[in-house]
Amino acid sequence: MVRARDRMSVRTPPGTLGAALLIARKDLAIEFRSRTAFLSSLVFAVLALSIFYFTWDESIVTPQDRAPGVLWVVLAFSALLGLQRAFSLEEHERGIDALLIAPIARESVYLGKAVGNLLFLCAIQAVAIPALAVFYNLRFNGQLAVVAGIVLLAMVGIVAVGTLFSAMAVNTRLAELLLPMLSLPFFVPILMDAAQATTRVMAGRPLSEAWPWLRLLIAFDLVFIVACTIAFPYTLEE
Amino acid sequence: MTTSPMTLPADARVAPDAAPKRIFGWLFAVAILAVMGAYVRAIYFTPIEAQQGAVQKIYYLHVPAWIACYLAYGLVAIGSVINLWLHDERADRLAASAAEVGILFNTVGLTVGPVWAKPIWGTWWTWDARLTSTLFLWFIFAAYLVLRGAIESPAMRARFSAVLAILGVLLIPFIHLSVYLFRTLHPMPIMLQPQALVNPPLSPEMETTFLVSSLAFLLLCVALVVSRYRLATLRAAADDAEGVGQ
């Protein structure tokens, strides 16, 4: 890691994407060494899955029927826990200042943080979704790859807006308290589209039935990746 | 504050004069009278609707409140774009003022809507596209006001809140489309037709009352934004004076 950075410093500064990947790699390396955020988000996700199991009467709604709903609620809230990490990491000892004076585009800070967050959240889901399948006795009807694809699309949207808002929230007096209030309204269309799509796919319906929802989800991802990348430089201290 | 006026920079000395003397002006008085007039007309001089009965009169409050709400949120969006573009603090003051007025009318719309819906639709609330997107407008602008309150630096406050307002404007179509898809793919009780609210059969008297009421609410909206803007200007002037005195 250190060697990689030294190599970069003697060459010309990396381009927007190159710098973004370096930032993502730095964040993931920090997370990989401490694992605190990963473990707490993961334990939260699995804990929430088990709590949700007991909030419905089994004889009225079967676990298989409520599993997609539970998946998306747990996913949204564990994502919030992970997103808070991205910029509070930099506030500590003012790491953000180093990023801001680095000869890289502001956009690459956003993209780097977003890629780091995306991989972080995917790692949590890689454990949480199998846990859901085990606890709720789920069968994916051979649609596991499709469900994973929908989760990825939803994660991209959540990370696009969540990364921007965590950059904003960390600079306010309320800090982490503000993040859910800012992000959750933006998660609503993502969760609605993704939950509807997964319900259909997991019920063994053809993909064409989930397509209108997926189309909206893809549109959301594209619009908000562009909008948040443009907006990000305005959310940094000057 | 103990510093003599002579040592103040030119801007701070001008500020108290540039700041308005009063917050509420004649426009506000006219707007209040107009709203009172609209109420009197709606209650005493407009016929009772044949099918829905007296409860239909909420229409003259509900729809004008939403028109005023959208005007105010439109001003927030315009103010936010101008602020990010030109870094003009007056645009930020306009956005902040309009956001507060907008959430007021948003609350009115969300409160009186269910009062009408209960007897007519048979339910206080339904997750229809229009209802859901207006509820989430409320959430976004509530977050907007909390966000503003949580930031000390005026420049940062202006930038952050402008970003949130602009993203919020982008979000609403997605919520609307998602709920629309959700509802059109699912069966829905026949009574729950939001179109009934949008397109009721209006007699000429009712139409006049509706127009009078809409104009009154638009006037009230503008008057409130102007008053709130004056308050923001006064506050900024006071902050400047305090900053110089310290």
Side-chain angles (χ1 to χ4, degrees):
Chain A
M1 188 63 204
V2 175
R3 233 180 297 135
R5 219 180 299 145
D6 286 343
R7 267 208 313 273
M8 295 311 295
S9 62
V10 287
R11 290 181 192 172
T12 49
T16 306
L17 284 180
L21 289 177
L22 279 181
I23 290 169
R25 215 169 121 184
K26 167 193 80 78
D27 279 7
L28 290 173
I30 293 174
E31 185 48 44
F32 188 72
R33 282 173 202 164
S34 66
R35 281 183 283 269
T36 41
F38 180 74
L39 283 179
S40 55
S41 298
L42 187 66
V43 170
F44 170 82
V46 180
L47 205 57
L49 287 179
S50 20
I51 289 173
F52 268 117
Y53 193 91
F54 296 105
T55 53
W56 273 282
D57 187 342
E58 231 177 314
S59 57
I60 299 172
V61 190
T62 66
Q64 288 79 5
D65 282 342
R66 66 183 118 111
V70 171
L71 169 73
W72 290 105
V73 172
V74 169
L75 203 135
F77 286 96
S78 58
L80 274 181
L81 276 183
L83 288 168
Q84 282 170 355
R85 202 190 94 269
F87 283 92
S88 52
L89 207 70
E90 303 293 349
E91 283 301 297
H92 217 63
E93 300 182 20
R94 304 293 307 162
I96 189 79
D97 292 342
L99 283 180
L100 294 184
I101 57 171
I104 51 171
R106 297 269 161 107
E107 285 80 4
S108 52
V109 177
Y110 169 76
L111 291 173
K113 289 284 172 190
V115 170
N117 279 336
L118 184 66
L119 294 175
F120 176 82
L121 293 183
C122 285
I124 293 172
Q125 298 320 319
V127 185
I129 293 175
L132 180 86
V134 171
F135 288 162
Y136 286 70
N137 199 12
L138 279 190
R139 275 188 203 88
F140 285 99
N141 295 323
Q143 304 281 359
L144 186 59
V146 182
V147 172
I150 299 172
V151 170
L152 187 66
L153 280 179
M155 280 295 153
V156 169
I158 284 178
V159 162
V161 287
T163 304
L164 180 81
F165 287 140
S166 80
M168 272 162 69
V170 80
N171 280 313
T172 66
R173 258 189 294 147
L174 298 174
E176 279 83 19
L177 277 178
L178 201 58
L179 185 61
M181 200 175 181
L182 294 174
S183 323
L184 284 176
F186 288 81
F187 290 179
V188 165
I190 305 175
L191 296 177
M192 213 186 295
D193 299 344
Q196 294 300 323
T198 31
T199 307
R200 281 167 182 72
V201 170
M202 282 165 83
R205 316 286 309 164
L207 190 60
S208 61
E209 227 174 83
W211 179 239
W213 302 100
L214 292 178
R215 212 169 41 181
L216 210 52
L217 194 55
I218 294 168
F220 184 97
D221 288 357
L222 293 176
V223 167
F224 279 91
I225 289 171
V226 174
C228 293
T229 311
I230 296 171
F232 181 74
Y234 294 105
T235 65
L236 295 170
E237 290 170 87
E238 277 169 355
Chain B
M1 286 279 108
T2 48
T3 330
S4 94
M6 294 309 289
T7 60
L8 296 177
D11 286 17
R13 258 177 293 149
V14 187
D17 299 323
K21 295 271 186 299
R22 278 175 313 170
I23 292 172
F24 295 108
W26 58 268
L27 186 64
F28 185 73
V30 172
I32 289 289
L33 285 175
V35 170
M36 283 164 63
Y39 271 129
V40 170
R41 192 186 151 88
I43 295 171
Y44 297 104
F45 300 101
T46 307
I48 288 177
E49 210 266 336
Q51 288 183 330
Q52 301 186 5
V55 73
Q56 181 269 337
K57 292 195 176 186
I58 287 177
Y59 180 79
Y60 307 118
L61 166 63
H62 182 84
V63 182
W66 281 120
I67 296 174
C69 171
Y70 285 128
L71 170 71
Y73 287 157
L75 289 175
V76 180
I78 294 170
S80 301
V81 171
I82 294 177
N83 179 268
L84 282 189
W85 185 21
L86 303 173
H87 305 283
D88 190 329
E89 69 176 88
R90 285 172 303 177
D92 178 54
R93 254 178 255 161
L94 170 69
S97 310
E100 266 180 42
V101 175
I103 208 163
L104 172 78
F105 285 111
N106 201 334
T107 311
V108 170
L110 284 174
T111 323
V112 300
V115 175
W116 174 86
K118 183 66 182 161
I120 304 301
W121 288 347
T123 176
W124 295 108
W125 183 264
T126 167
W127 293 100
D128 146 79
R130 194 177 299 257
L131 272 66
T132 313
S133 30
T134 49
L135 178 67
F136 276 90
L137 264 180
W138 194 93
F139 284 137
I140 291 165
F141 281 95
Y144 179 94
L145 294 178
V146 173
L147 177 71
R148 291 193 70 92
I151 305 172
E152 303 279 354
S153 144
M156 196 194 271
R157 183 168 57 214
R159 276 183 289 124
F160 280 24
S161 49
V163 166
L164 178 62
I166 292 168
L167 291 182
V169 169
L170 288 179
L171 174 71
I172 289 302
F174 282 100
I175 293 184
H176 195 94
L177 285 174
S178 297
V179 184
Y180 187 74
L181 210 55
F182 182 75
R183 278 299 175 198
T184 42
L185 291 182
H186 277 70
M188 200 170 138
I190 301 297
M191 287 299 289
L192 300 175
Q193 288 287 338
Q195 282 76 9
L197 177 66
V198 185
N199 224 348
L202 284 186
S203 76
E205 288 117 316
M206 289 169 160
E207 219 158 73
T208 313
T209 308
F210 174 64
L211 284 177
V212 167
S213 188
S214 297
L215 285 176
F217 269 76
L218 282 176
L219 204 59
L220 182 64
C221 177
V222 172
L224 282 173
V225 173
V226 168
S227 306
R228 179 61 183 78
Y229 182 87
R230 285 184 182 150
L231 179 65
T233 313
L234 275 175
R235 266 192 198 155
D239 284 348
D240 282 351
E242 212 171 284
V244 170
Q246 274 164 4

